Amino acid sequence: MDYSTNVTYLTLAGHVELEKHRYVYFIITLIVYLLIICFNAVVIYVIYINKSLHEPMYIFIAALLLNSLCGTTAFYPKLLNDFLSERQVISYQVCTFQAFLIYTFATSEFTLLSAMAYDRFVSICKPLQYATLIKMSTVRKILFISWFLPSCENSVGLILTYQLKLCQFKLNRIYCDNYSIVKLSCEDTLVNNVYGLFVLIIAVVPPVVFIIYSYIRILVVCIGSSKDFRRKALQTCLPHLFIFINFSMNSCFEVINNRLQSSIPLIISVILSVDYLVIPPLFNPIIYGLKLREILNKIKMLISHKNNTNVCF
C-alpha cells in the first residue's frame, strides 16, 4: 500500500519464473494478442462490408467476436506491460475495473451464445415464423440486453467489492478477478460471496439450459428431415455448438481453479485461469471463418481482391 499518494497497490504474484523467461513470455503473448485482434477483426470487417451478411446470424457472430476483443483488451495490454516491468503491481481501482471488464465479457458471452441458439432454433424449428420473430429491431434489443444486463450485474459486484477494507495486498494471479480481490479483505464478505454466487447462477444457468434445450429441439427436427436439410442445419449449428462447449468448459475450469487455487501447483493454476481468455477469442473467428461457407467465401474474395490490387499496382 502506498500511503504517500493514498493509492492502494496490489501485487500480482502469479507470474512464474518471470526473471528467466520474461522476453519469451512477452513475445508469445504479443503474438497471441495480435492474432486474436487480426482474426476477429477480419471476420467482423467481412461481415460489416458485405450487405449479404447483414442477417441476424452473422450480426450475432460479429457481436460475439467484438465481445472477445473487448474482453481480451482488458487482459493482454496489462499482462504485456507486466512482463517488461520490474514489479508486477496494479492499483486497487484499476484492479477492480479490470475484474469488472473481464467478468462482463464472460457473462455477455453466455448471453450472446444463447441469443445465437435462439436464432438457430427459430430458423430451423420455426422457419415460417423467422421473419416475424427475428426482426432487426429484435436483434438490436437482444444485443443491448446482452451487454447492458451483465454490465449492471457486475457493476453492483464492483461497488460491493470496492467498499471492502483490505488487509492483504497480494493476488496469486496474473490478472484481477472479483473473487480473488474479495478474499483479500479482513471484513465480513458474506454479502459479496452471496451476490457473486447469485450473479454466477443467473448469468450462466439460464443461457446454458436454454442452449441445451434449443439444440435438443433442433436435433429432433433434423432427425425427421431430409439429408440435405440436416447437412445445412449442421453446417450452421456445429460451429456455434462447439464454441459454446469450448467456452463453457474453459469458464468452468476457471471457476473451479479459482476456488481450489491453494491445492494445485501455481503454474497449473495460472494456465487454467487464462484458458477462457486465450482459447475462445483465438479460435472462435477461425471456426466461423472456416466452417461457415458464406464467411469463408467473402474472406477469399477479400484476399483475392487485395492480391489483384497489388498486382495492378
Side-chain angles (χ1 to χ4, degrees):
M1 185 179 205
D2 191 337
Y3 292 98
S4 61
T5 58
N6 199 30
V7 176
T8 300
Y9 287 96
L10 305 179
T11 300
L12 298 173
H15 295 276
V16 180
E17 296 185 351
L18 188 57
E19 291 299 327
K20 295 180 180 179
H21 308 294
R22 69 166 67 242
Y23 295 110
V24 175
Y25 291 161
F26 177 84
I27 292 171
I28 293 174
T29 304
L30 179 61
I31 291 173
V32 170
Y33 185 41
L34 292 176
L35 287 175
I36 288 173
I37 294 174
C38 180
F39 291 164
N40 285 275
V42 166
V43 177
I44 293 171
Y45 178 71
V46 165
I47 293 173
Y48 175 75
I49 65 172
N50 289 279
K51 291 186 177 181
S52 62
L53 299 180
H54 290 184
E55 299 177 6
M57 181 176 73
Y58 301 109
I59 292 173
F60 284 133
I61 290 173
L64 188 75
L65 301 185
L66 180 62
N67 188 60
S68 293
L69 284 178
C70 294
T72 52
T73 300
F75 169 66
Y76 282 94
K78 169 58 179 168
L79 181 62
L80 289 168
N81 180 69
D82 283 341
F83 287 149
L84 300 181
S85 302
E86 293 300 321
R87 297 175 61 209
Q88 290 71 49
V89 297
I90 185 170
S91 70
Y92 183 43
Q93 293 83 352
V94 174
C95 189
T96 52
F97 186 60
Q98 184 187 50
F100 163 77
L101 292 177
I102 291 176
Y103 274 41
T104 301
F105 147 72
T107 49
S108 295
E109 197 88 348
F110 279 108
T111 310
L112 289 167
L113 287 169
S114 65
M116 296 170 74
Y118 175 67
D119 174 72
R120 292 299 85 206
F121 167 74
V122 175
S123 174
I124 295 170
C125 300
K126 301 181 179 181
L128 298 179
Q129 301 178 46
Y130 185 83
T132 304
L133 295 175
I134 311 291
K135 299 178 181 178
M136 291 309 297
S137 59
T138 305
V139 172
R140 286 193 289 268
K141 291 175 183 176
I142 291 174
L143 292 179
F144 175 77
I145 292 172
S146 296
W147 280 306
F148 179 74
L149 190 59
S151 297
C152 291
E153 293 168 350
N154 290 295
S155 293
V156 175
L158 176 71
I159 293 170
L160 290 174
T161 300
Y162 196 71
Q163 292 177 340
L164 293 174
K165 180 180 179 181
L166 304 185
C167 53
Q168 300 179 63
F169 304 95
K170 185 174 77 171
L171 290 169
N172 288 322
R173 310 274 288 178
I174 60 174
Y175 67 91
C176 298
D177 69 274
N178 195 58
Y179 182 75
S180 297
I181 298 172
V182 169
K183 288 195 297 184
L184 300 179
S185 175
C186 46
E187 298 180 352
D188 182 13
T189 59
L190 178 62
V191 174
N192 299 76
N193 292 328
V194 170
Y195 182 76
L197 181 61
F198 168 74
V199 171
L200 179 65
I201 292 173
I202 65 170
V204 175
V205 175
V208 168
V209 170
F210 178 76
I211 292 170
I212 294 172
Y213 167 78
S214 298
Y215 276 98
I216 291 174
R217 290 287 304 275
I218 290 172
L219 181 62
V220 171
V221 171
C222 288
I223 291 173
S225 302
S226 66
K227 185 177 180 180
D228 185 59
F229 181 88
R230 287 198 299 269
R231 181 184 60 80
K232 291 180 179 178
L234 290 175
Q235 185 182 26
T236 59
C237 291
L238 283 181
H240 173 262
L241 188 58
F242 178 80
I243 285 169
F244 162 68
I245 294 172
N246 180 32
F247 186 77
S248 297
M249 290 180 63
N250 282 287
S251 300
C252 183
F253 287 152
E254 159 58 3
V255 171
I256 295 172
N257 163 61
N258 208 359
R259 279 139 185 84
L260 302 176
Q261 203 174 56
S262 59
S263 23
I264 59 178
L266 182 58
I267 183 63
I268 302 298
S269 175
V270 169
I271 293 173
L272 291 175
S273 72
V274 299
D275 272 357
Y276 75 109
L277 289 164
V278 176
I279 297 175
L282 184 60
F283 287 101
N284 288 1
I286 297 175
I287 293 169
Y288 281 125
L290 295 179
K291 292 298 183 181
L292 293 183
R293 188 175 300 278
E294 291 81 0
I295 294 179
L296 179 59
N297 290 339
K298 297 299 181 182
I299 292 174
K300 288 180 178 178
M301 289 174 59
L302 179 65
I303 295 173
S304 175
H305 176 72
K306 292 291 184 182
N307 290 337
N308 291 336
T309 302
N310 291 335
V311 170
C312 292
F313 178 78

